[in-house]
Amino acid sequence: MTSSGEQVSLTILYTSDVHGNVLPLRYADNQPMDLGLAKIATLIQDFRHRSENVLLIDNGDVIQGTPLTYHHARITPDLPNPIVQVMNELTYDAAVFGNHEFNYGSQILQRVVHESKFPWLSANIVKTGTDIPYFGTPYLVRALKSGVRVAVLGLTTQYIPNWENPAHIEEMDFLDAVDTCQRWVAKIRRESGPDVMVVAYHGGFERDLDTGQLTERYTGENQGYRLCSEVKGIDVLLTGHQHRALSGTVCGVTVIQPGCNAAWLGKVDVLLERTGKKWNIVSTSAELVDVAGTAPDPKVVEVIRPYEEQTQVWLDQPIGRILGDMTVKDPMALRLRDNPLIEFVNKVQMETAGVSISNAALFDNQCPGFPEDVTVRDVVANYIYPNTLRILRVKGQDIKDALERSAAYFAPYDGSDIQVNPAFTAPKPQHYNYDMWEGIEYKINISRPLGARVVELLYEGQPLDMEADYDVVMNNYRAAGGGDYEMYKGKPVVQDIPTEVPELIVSYIMERKIIPATVNHNWEVIHDEKSFT
């Protein structure tokens, strides 16, 4: 029997936005990296040896994001999911659905849920037209050996329908996370009486944690600050989605977010003291534990080994040759003028869709471009998302508005070094939200104010008609308005092309074998009417 005044410590360990990273390597070149669940596993085992009261939670975006997960989903889907096998080995207590859990379709996701030896949580993903959780398990309550009761409520960013293929989320509604949290926390507190109330939310913060000032246009994608300030009864808020590394306190709630790719393990310590029959929280503290210098867990390495071996063989299959230069030497320079790599991606999109206008992005500054001899590894190293294509019918004005949105990627030019607008780097890098176009001719002057930077815009040599209709192919994320491209929302969909773009690129190269690196110089970024040369 526990005596009054006795103290108990609870440790909550959690991962978020792992994106399929298990082994500590970069698939583009197999170079070692300080990341991955294999390293996280070593930290988890260490903390479990220190305390008997440990909960392990994943906060979403775990089953998608690397060639390993892509190979499984598209080449060997009948095998058990490799990420779930690792999570089962680590005996996770629960996981929360992130937006990227839906990327591979409902059949893959249902198998993931079935194979998991732990529950998947989300209270605000419900059956269409109801408030019944679609996956059946909105929360869990665990009683520790000490008698302390811990509740964990799962929530998912409600913005998923703005990005995801509609076929992947059929018969689902995504309710407001704040409203849902208020209902469920009150219900859990009333019916289960937990001593610690944890909310695991696959979403981030829309406001500065210290000042409360809005840091992004409010869409409902990230509602972490509102959860802390408006929902009574939350002790700990686990967040994600934004790929930020942060910890602290907001409105009396302990908050944490562990970056991405399993480079950090999130850790929250809760100290409780018993008074009579009640446990009271004495203190909470949050910490990000860096995996740098940690050895990978050999058991996890062994679990993933057969999947990894198949993936590596697949990645190194030669598929064609590039005549010319499609490498990325300077990401900023690539974004200042037409270039062979993005022109090629746009060409694949236009030929696939049968339209004459396309846009595409360099997703990340680590994208290396294509070497002379191209393998599958090179394709997935550059096109890192499982996007599909969509053809939208838009007005000329929509195209101009979209170009102005992309032009905002550049900070006002002062005559020295070109800088990225902080809105595209914080709270997380958003290089993928700068699009480059084929099929139109345009110039962007970054010496001019935001919203007035497009100084030339032509189609087939004539000024683009602002009232005319144009069919444009783009990825499904952008077509849904992702990245604050509001002008695309509600526009007629001419065609959905369900094949993922990396697969389209691989097929295109394999069919042609030899790919010329071409540049037609249809666009450039200038300053004060001068080129950056």
Side-chain angles (χ1 to χ4, degrees), residues 50-292:
R50 300 186 201 180
S51 173
E52 64 179 0
N53 296 319
V54 175
L55 281 181
L56 177 59
I57 300 166
D58 183 79
N59 200 36
D61 282 5
V62 65
I63 67 167
Q64 175 277 334
T66 59
L68 173 77
T69 60
Y70 182 90
H71 180 267
H72 167 73
R74 296 297 177 238
I75 311 298
T76 60
D78 292 335
L79 294 178
N81 188 283
I83 305 302
V84 172
Q85 298 308 300
V86 170
M87 296 174 74
N88 285 342
E89 171 68 26
L90 295 177
T91 61
Y92 271 79
D93 291 286
V96 175
F97 295 97
N99 50 296
H100 285 288
E101 260 64 67
F102 298 88
N103 287 170
Y104 293 137
S106 59
Q107 185 173 0
I108 293 287
L109 184 53
Q110 291 291 353
R111 287 197 60 173
V112 162
V113 173
H114 176 73
E115 292 171 5
S116 299
K117 296 179 181 179
F118 49 86
W120 285 80
L121 312 177
S122 188
N124 65 315
I125 303 175
V126 298
K127 298 178 181 178
T128 299
T130 76
D131 59 0
I132 301 171
Y134 184 89
F135 294 95
T137 311
Y139 71 97
L140 64 81
V141 177
R142 286 289 167 85
L144 307 180
K145 293 180 180 180
S146 60
V148 170
R149 292 170 58 80
V150 184
V152 181
L153 172 69
L155 296 169
T156 303
T157 178
Q158 67 201 44
Y159 212 60
I160 289 175
N162 290 278
W163 309 308
E164 191 52 70
N165 183 335
H168 294 176
I169 53 175
E170 287 181 343
E171 301 181 353
M172 298 181 199
D173 285 341
F174 294 79
L175 303 182
D176 182 89
V178 176
D179 292 344
T180 303
C181 189
Q182 287 174 329
R183 293 196 306 273
W184 280 97
V185 167
K187 175 182 173 66
I188 295 166
R189 286 284 192 187
R190 181 176 63 253
E191 296 180 0
S192 300
D195 303 297
V196 183
M197 183 71 234
V198 179
V199 173
Y201 169 51
H202 188 82
F205 293 96
E206 74 282 24
R207 294 181 179 274
D208 183 273
L209 302 192
D210 297 322
T211 67
Q213 293 296 309
L214 202 62
T215 55
E216 59 185 52
R217 187 177 62 85
Y218 186 78
T219 63
E221 178 180 350
N222 298 299
Q223 297 178 294
Y225 198 93
R226 284 192 61 199
L227 289 171
C228 293
S229 61
E230 297 180 25
V231 180
K232 296 181 179 179
I234 302 175
D235 298 312
V236 176
L237 178 66
L238 311 178
T239 66
H241 185 56
Q242 291 174 315
H243 297 189
R244 300 170 69 184
L246 60 84
S247 61
T249 303
V250 176
C251 302
V253 179
T254 297
V255 302
I256 188 169
Q257 188 173 144
C260 62
N261 301 334
W264 288 276
L265 174 66
K267 176 174 174 282
V268 177
D269 289 311
V270 183
L271 179 64
L272 300 103
E273 185 173 82
R274 189 169 185 266
T275 304
K277 296 182 178 180
K278 183 175 175 56
W279 288 98
N280 297 302
I281 294 176
V282 176
S283 65
T284 59
S285 61
E287 175 188 2
L288 295 173
V289 185
D290 196 333
V291 304

Side-chain angles (χ1 to χ4, degrees), residues 356-369:
S356 60
I357 304 176
S358 172
N359 62 54
L362 183 71
F363 291 131
D364 189 276
N365 283 347
Q366 304 305 313
C367 294

Side-chain angles (χ1 to χ4, degrees), residues 22-25 35-42 68 82 85-86 89-90 294-309:
V22 179
L23 298 181
L25 58 83
L35 51 75
L37 284 176
K39 283 177 171 274
I40 290 282
T42 300
L68 173 77
Q85 298 308 300
V86 170
E89 171 68 26
L90 295 177
T294 302
D297 184 292
K299 290 184 179 179
V300 169
V301 173
E302 183 59 26
V303 167
I304 211 68
R305 181 185 55 78
Y307 298 93
E308 181 67 22
E309 289 176 350

